[in-house]
Amino acid sequence: MEFSILGPTELRFEGRPIPLGAAKQRGLLAVLLYHAGDPVRVETIVEFLWQNAGVDARRPLLYTLASRLRAVLRAVGLQNALVRVPGTGAYRLTVDPELIDYHRFLRLTAEAEQAIERDQHDRSVALLSRAVELWRDDPLADLRGARCEHLRRDMREKQFRAIKLLAKSELAIGRYDRVLTRLEPLLIENQLDEGLARLWASALHAAGRTYDARDFLAGYRRRYRRIMRTEPALDITELLPAAPADNGRSAVDEAVPAPRQLPNDVPDYTGNTGLLEELDTLAASGGTAKVVVLTGMPGVGKTTLAGHWGHRRQSWFPEGQLCLNAEAHGPVPPVRPQEALHRFLVALGVPADRVPDDPDRRVALYHRLMAGRRMLVVLDNVVDSDQAQQLLPRSDTSFTIVTSRNRLRGLGVRHGIRNLTVAPLSGPERHRMLSRIIGPDRADAEPAALETLARLSGGLPLALRVIGEHVGSRPGARLGDLADELANRLLDIEGDETDEMTLRTVFAWSVNALAPLPARLFLLLGLCPGSTIGVEAAAAMLSVGAAEAERALDRLARAHLVNHDTVRRYRMHDLLRQYAADRARVDEPAGQRRAALHRLWDWYLLTAFHAVSQLEPDRPPVPDLPETDAVAPVAFTSDGAALRWCEAERTNLLALVRSAATEGFHRHAWQIVDTLHEVFDRSGSQEEMREMLEIALDAATVDGHDLARVGTLVNLGATYFTSHDHQRAGSLFAQALQLARDKGFTELQTICRHNLASVQLRSGATRTAIETFRQVLTDCRTAGYATGEAFTLYHLGDAYRQLGHYGQARRLYQQALAICDRIGSLRGQSLNHVGLAGLGLDTGQPETALTHSRMALDLHNRVTDEGIRCDALTVSAEAQLRRGRHHEALAEATLARAVGDELADPVRTARALAVLADTLDATGNHEGAAARRREALDILDDTNDPQRQAIRDRLSTHHGPGRRAG
């Protein structure tokens, strides 16, 4: 099996190409293959596939594409390769990177670079030849748009670099003619690339064509000066010793050695290939003074990156390098600009006693000495724009790299200087770096433990070196044992013989430089259990206004102590979160910590209540909500805004509930879950929801709140019911009913009996269910419980429909619909429209079915209940099939199947597949229909729902459009 993205997206299985569908489906696969193993957010995928389209508008199409892609992957034996990562709004494709041509190319190139470092050029040629041969055409050929072009450009640059490395190794082993043949077509499109020119001239000279080499270099230098308006770093005397020396002025006085102040390079440097190549591009560009700022969180490797690049490109700066540690974060005060200028002037040959005392004269002398020099200046660990300002050369022949933990907005705003962010290393990069540090034999012996250690590092090179040194100092220990140890001690493990290289110390330097409010917020964020936090939640923890909290968050973001996740939401690196939590327990008094958490739980609970009140105004709140003026919960003015907040917080909810229970906020734990249960019951897998409800049940028990225990048992049972585990659901409903009777909770007894009747109905005991529902209906009407009355009428409609009493069913659905309309229950309206649509199919009225399914789908934009949507799409597809509209039927059945996949609901997915199969048969695609039926039968093996037999009957008898879908 092999995937290809170095050209059109392809999948070959057992030597034959596998059809991948339409362009958008191939594009989706290409995006996921590029990011193989990593979660890719839905927003990112939509941007790749549809550029500027809104996410919500394209989400249904994405579901369809993902569903079709899963079917393709299943067909080649990859059953669970493509998954929706729970709670993250992201997809992940898990396949062996060796099966993907691009990732194989990266691995071969990395191994070749290691071989070159060991002067193993024969091995390098073998590896790079295989790597280069993998390229067939433009990479990611099935994707369009600016974001894709950025990736494509990065991939082409990697290809270009691999070809140059191959030529370098071929040159080293004497294959001069092959080098010339390989490079000739590249010279046309890369006329200013110095590395390519160097290789071409060297190959000409080695092949005995020295005159041609000199002629080429002379023309190259003229062309470079004309276009770039500066001298190239390429030196003829270096390449062709016999050539006459350049008569130009030497920029460095022979009496003063060129300063070489860069720290030693790291021999096992790993990662950041894209940033290294971007630095190449920026350094080679023309224009005025060239400056780039590298920013990033503590320990991410900014200094090492700058130094490594400087050593790689040392030949570009023949007149030396100046390097300053500006001490923005460390045990000593930051270096004053005038002191830094003094150091630079001495390095440039000015005697220390002749450095001007006057600040203006000192600046002027520095710029005069730097004029026309091809030098690299590295200003490392800068505190702010003002510290760097005076040290930036004005010469357009020098290049300056500034590194800082802070985003130096002043430089960017005033001078248009390019800012680049150094991100943590990716999974493969941290793997590779750690393997190099501890040795391949030890790494290969325990791959699972190596993966754990790499994950613990969070992609921070400093953390990887700390881990590597710790592992290296214990040669007899198992990696698995060391991984267990470091999981709790990594922040305190020393990277060298001083305590200045612990992660805790490095992080502390950044935090200690903060103003009081951002510093306190940083500590409190360590206590916040969610993966992201919004401005309003942060304001609640701090007990300040939203504007003040946003300013504090922005200050943390500028210091790279948090990152922007989405608009007005922020995310913290795992190691920083651990450090913040540890420090909060020391620096923040226990009472203040608890008060901050109390405000946070109050804010979440009351905001959740407002969201649900907007979505279901007739639903009563959970009992005993807190009354407080200490927080300002969000108020929602539209269903869409409420749903967006719920979706954004879904990622955090499980961690929040666990933390609330652990910290002793038991009432908040069950109240938050029971408030949001019905919203999260409408979409996505129910596994996390079940876990939260289990926590909520324990919390309600500890809280001694019997009403909460009954309500949580009911909600937990409803979650199992949604997942078609009717036996477990019935048991939980029975427990809830018994407890409600013991405690005298009359209304909850009615709800429990209603739910038990629903289990009876799904289990085939239809007449028993009708009897129970009739009793429940009487109780609801007596109590004036309109919502309960509407939903009971709806389920009675389902029951009579199962018995074939269609007239009675229609009347019941219509009565329920009228009540839902009166009380404003949009979800209830949707359910009844789906029921009436299905009834239209049962009675041979496809137009009626279409009308009601359209009404349900129109309501979905306000309700967002994916189960109802799936049912409405399936009914609509069947109605379209009966009317002979095969194209519409295919589209809607395909989308229904995709939504069923997203819900992880085997019954709904199989029902949609059955309609899809019949539609394919109707269009003459009998092979495709048979494949869909086999897939549906396989899916039904995963459930014990009684409905599966009716679907099996339809699939096995190959009935056409005359049968009802389930």
Side-chain angles (χ1 to χ4, degrees), residues 267-406:
D268 54 3
Y269 188 86
T270 306
N272 293 309
T273 305
L275 284 177
L276 290 168
E277 292 172 353
E278 192 153 5
L279 285 171
D280 285 349
T281 302
L282 293 169
S285 65
T288 56
K290 293 172 286 192
V291 182
V292 62
V293 179
L294 299 177
T295 63
M297 65 177 289
V300 81
K302 302 177 292 295
T303 301
T304 308
L305 169 62
H308 178 68
W309 183 85
H311 282 285
R312 267 190 13 159
R313 298 297 176 231
Q314 185 170 342
S315 64
W316 291 15
F317 308 102
E319 292 161 276
Q321 314 105 19
L322 297 174
C323 185
L324 171 76
N325 179 1
E327 302 286 0
H329 302 95
V332 299
V335 177
R336 293 178 297 106
Q338 287 297 311
E339 170 60 24
L341 284 171
H342 187 284
R343 298 182 194 179
F344 280 175
L345 289 172
V346 171
L348 290 168
V350 179
D353 59 352
R354 297 183 61 184
V355 173
D357 292 329
D358 181 72
D360 292 338
R361 291 181 58 203
R362 190 175 291 189
V363 171
L365 178 59
Y366 171 65
H367 289 307
R368 188 164 65 250
L369 289 176
M370 289 295 293
R373 295 189 187 223
R374 288 183 296 172
M375 296 187 70
L376 172 66
V377 180
V378 176
L379 306 178
D380 183 38
N381 200 12
V382 167
V383 65
D384 56 27
S385 299
D386 290 338
Q387 189 185 28
Q389 179 69 34
Q390 297 181 44
L391 307 177
L392 301 180
R394 297 171 186 161
S395 168
D396 62 1
T397 58
S398 63
F399 186 69
T400 305
I401 300 177
V402 182
T403 78
S404 180
R405 297 183 189 181
N406 298 316

Side-chain angles (χ1 to χ4, degrees), residues 817 828-838 849 851-853 855-856 859:
L817 183 59
Q829 292 176 46
S830 297
L831 282 168
N832 282 283
H833 280 303
V834 171
L836 288 165
T851 298
H852 285 289
S853 60
M855 290 179 177
L859 284 167

Side-chain angles (χ1 to χ4, degrees), residues 763-810:
S763 303
T766 308
R767 295 194 180 278
T768 303
I770 288 174
E771 183 178 344
T772 307
F773 276 132
R774 287 291 181 191
Q775 296 169 2
V776 170
L777 184 61
T778 300
D779 291 343
C780 288
R781 285 172 171 168
T782 301
Y785 180 29
T787 300
E789 179 184 0
F791 279 87
T792 305
L793 287 167
Y794 162 74
H795 282 111
L796 276 169
D798 279 349
Y800 281 105
R801 183 179 157 203
Q802 283 187 17
L803 294 176
H805 299 171
Y806 298 137
Q808 179 71 343
R810 182 178 293 104

Side-chain angles (χ1 to χ4, degrees), residues 29-43:
L29 179 59
V31 172
L32 295 170
L33 288 170
Y34 180 89
H35 297 90
D38 294 328
V40 187
R41 294 178 67 88
V42 167
E43 294 85 352

